Structures are given as C-alpha cells and as structure tokens.
Amino acid sequence: MEEFLPKEFMERMKGMLGAEYDAFKKSYQKEAARGLRVNGLKGTKEEFLKKSSFTLRPILWEPNGFFYLEKERPGKHPYHDAGVYYIQEPSAMAVAALAAPKPGEKVLDLCAAPGGKTTHLASQMKGEGLLVANEIHPARAKILSQNVERMGIRNAVVTNEEPLSLKAYFPEFFDRVVVDAPCSGEGMFRKEEAACLEWSLENVHSCAVRQRKILECAAEMLKPGGRLVYSTCTFAPEEDEETILLFLNEHLEFEIDLEIDSEAYREMGFLQGCPDWINPAIKITSEIREKEALKKTFRLFPHKIEGEGHYIAVLHKKEKEGYKKKQKFLRKKRASFKDWEVFQNEIGVSFERGMYQLFGEELYLVPEEMVDMRGLRVLRAGLHLGTLKKSRFEPSHALALTLSPSDTKHVLSFDKESKEIFSYLKGEMLSFNGEERKGWYLVCVDGYSIGWGKASKVGLKNHYPKGLRWM
C-alpha cells in the first residue's frame, strides 16, 4: 500500500502530525475497518442482534453501527435486500450522528450519493418530516434513489440538481443541512488505491474552490436557528479548517455549534481541528473567535480510530429577528384514486399523512412539507406507491419495503436460511399452501418485508423486481 501513497501528500502529513506521523504511516499496513448500520425504520438493533448470525462489534460513535468480518459478506444476505442494514464505512457514520435530525424536521443532504448519510438521516427521522436528498451526477443520483427505496424510506424526495439551482426552491427552508462535500479523498487512500493515483495538489485546490461554492448554497437553504454539518473524507487543511474559517469569516450569521458534547467524541478517539494547519497567508478580516473555535471541529485519523480519515464541522445559524419562511407548497387537496383504495382495503394498508400525486401512471405519496416541484429534476417524489393500470392497481417494490407485517393483513414470512427465501430472491414461483385467499401478500424474511407475491391457484407469483434478482 505504501508505495501508492503520493510523496507530496506524505510530506505534508509528516509536517502536520510530527511525532504521530509514524503511527499514521503504519495504519496503512492494516486492513480497512468494515461497518454496517442497522436501519431503525425496519426495527430495533436488539431485534436485529437476536436474529442475526454475524460476528459483530459495536461502533462507539453510532448506536446502531457495528464492525463486521469481511468473510461473512453481509452484502450477499437476504437481510441486505430487505434493507435491514446499510453497509457503511465506520467513520462516515459520524456525520449523520452529529447532524442528529429529529422526527418532523425538514432536512437536506446536499451531496447525497450513494446514500449512506441519507439513509442514516432517514432512520433518525423515523419517517416523519421531509428529507431531500440531492445528487448532481445523474448516474449516482439513480444509485441514491435505489438505496432510498431499499431502506424503506417514505419521506424522502430525491433530486438531481446543482446546488445553485436547488437553492431557488428552498430559501431558508431546512432545519438541518448536511454537506458531505466532494473532496480529494485522502482519507480513503487505504480503502481505495485508485484515489491515490488520482490525487494531486491541483485537485486539492480545485476541490476546495468547489466546496466553498457548495457551502454558499447550503447556507442560503438553512433556516435561522438551524444546523449545518460540513464533512470531507480528506486530511487536506485547505479543504477542511481553511474552508470553514473562510466561510465563517464571510458569514457572521454562522458559528461553530458549541452544543455538541465534544469531550464525549474525544474519548472515542476523535481529535480536534487544528487552526495551526491553516496557511498563514490566508487573509481574514479579523482574528476573531472563529480561528480558535476550529478546535471544536473534528478530525478522524486511521491511527486513532477503527475507520478512515474524515473531517467534520458542525455549524449553527443564528436566529434572525422577523424571520418568515416564504415557500410555495404543494396544493393541500388530497386526491383519491379508486383502484388504489381498493388495494388498500384488500391488503389493509393506510397512510394518514402525505399528498397523492400521479406522474403518468405512477402514483406517489409526497411528503406534505414538500414545496412545488415544477421545474425540478426529481427522481423520486416521495414514496412510490405503485402503478395505476387499466382497472387495477399494482403495488411497487418501494411500498413493500416500507411496510412491516403489522401494517398489512396478508403476510408470508420465511426464514433467512430457508430454500423459499432464496427461491423468492431468484424470481421463482413458490408453492402456496396457506390460506384459500388469493391476491397480494407481503413477503418477509424473519419478519422483515422484502417484496410482494400474488397468490393464485397455481402458486405464489413472484413480484420481486427482475433487476434485483439473485443469479
């Protein structure tokens, strides 16, 4: 691994870390830590631990996070397809943990793909409020949308916009904004050798310029009194402490959020931000509180914790006298759709909140807090309920994954090691020896929803999506 590390990068790290440099260098000889995070929308971690057969150790900074053994391959398990957990790099779990959204709030994940932090935020929000997950790159936005679906998230809208375009729709709108900024990726060198090969000082600088533009947009979308969490997976001070210092110097309405219990995180191995690493040539209008307050930001180093490199700053936007939000919301009339209502009565599903919106034949339940979406590039407008076909309603895979057995009248649950669940995941028809009733059933694995099946005289027709089927 060491031979891949860029020379200029290592020289800079030696200057930054001093006596700790050797320990940092040795960390590249170790295997990267692997983590999964239990999805609170699917059940509690206690339920999961009773059902799981994985060898797990807790991650200190995330109550639902666990280290796992690579050989156990949780990505090839029925629980993964059911959205019971999300496989996520352990250090990355700290970002949403520090954002700490509450149910009912309006939250933006501005640079959201592939979805680790989005799905973490959603789990904390417990299906209440509005979560907007944005990704500028179309292919990555599609992966983000797929992960939102797999994790059974009801209250997320996935957009594919530039931050500059997005801010016109959401002026001073969100209670929390997460900016996991695109960066030079130095913190991922141990995990991804390709990041080493692509690294350059020029890229570090261009990333810093881009990050500051993104932060400008994020600042305008956060309402007064709100929390902004900025993070990178790089060690470069230009992208970390310098970016935050320059931002605070130009935005006096922001300050480092001092409500965070920094000492608790220090005890877990998180180091404080270091103002001394900032380029002394940087001009700021005054040597004010911000520079010293940077010690209240967080540095995650691989020789200090079981995880990769990260930088995290938690900012607070001060209250503003006379603040009034001015957004154009969706119309509040709740439309009705007969075939959907017939299906609801058949399967026993009901939703008390949300607005029904039809896009062609596709019916969505849009969060009530969402603004008018006209003109926005939207990949997922909330919960996709299904398709209104001629004289019938066909439920979506997304709908199945948001439900639990207690939400529906008709359920078939199989054991995680049963031949039936593997046949289902392969798209095969299952024999059906249950009730005489024909029609839709929610298929589950150990009580976790995983898809739909439709019972007929010949068996249970498989409605697991073709693109997801196991080979």
Side-chain angles (χ1 to χ4, degrees), residues 293-308:
L294 288 170
K295 291 180 180 178
K296 295 288 186 181
T297 62
F298 299 94
R299 282 278 190 170
L300 285 66
F301 283 100
H303 65 292
K304 290 291 186 181
I305 62 167
E306 285 189 78
E308 304 311 300

Side-chain angles (χ1 to χ4, degrees), residues 57 138 162 233 256 315-316 364 388 407 447:
R57 288 185 298 112
E162 292 187 13
C233 56
I256 302 286
L315 309 179
H316 172 257
Y364 279 79
L388 288 166
D407 293 326

Side-chain angles (χ1 to χ4, degrees), residues 339-360:
D339 293 330
W340 158 245
E341 290 173 357
V342 169
F343 173 81
Q344 280 186 291
N345 292 330
E346 175 193 347
I347 200 76
V349 177
S350 64
F351 295 98
E352 294 179 2
R353 288 178 55 79
M355 304 300 301
Y356 293 125
Q357 287 230 317
L358 198 59
F359 298 88

Side-chain angles (χ1 to χ4, degrees), residues 205 207-213 215-216 219 230 237-254 256 275 278-292 294 297 311 313 315:
H205 179 69
C207 285
V209 171
R210 181 165 63 241
Q211 290 153 0
R212 289 160 198 172
K213 290 178 180 177
L215 266 178
E216 289 291 327
Y230 173 80
E238 188 176 355
E239 301 177 64
D240 296 341
E241 287 94 345
E242 285 184 18
T243 288
I244 293 301
L245 178 65
L246 289 170
F247 175 79
L248 291 174
N249 189 58
E250 294 167 6
H251 293 271
L252 298 181
E253 74 275 22
F254 278 87
I256 302 286
I278 292 173
N279 186 340
I282 286 184
K283 304 285 187 195
I284 59 174
T285 54
S286 59
E287 284 291 337
I288 43 177
R289 54 185 164 75
E290 280 88 351
K291 194 163 185 179
E292 193 62 24
L294 288 170
T297 62
Y311 175 79
L315 309 179

Side-chain angles (χ1 to χ4, degrees), residues 69-88:
L69 301 178
E70 181 186 13
K71 64 182 181 181
E72 294 184 323
R73 301 183 69 201
K76 288 297 292 180
H77 192 284
Y79 284 4
H80 184 266
D81 291 60
V84 179
Y85 49 75
Y86 190 99
I87 293 174
Q88 187 175 20

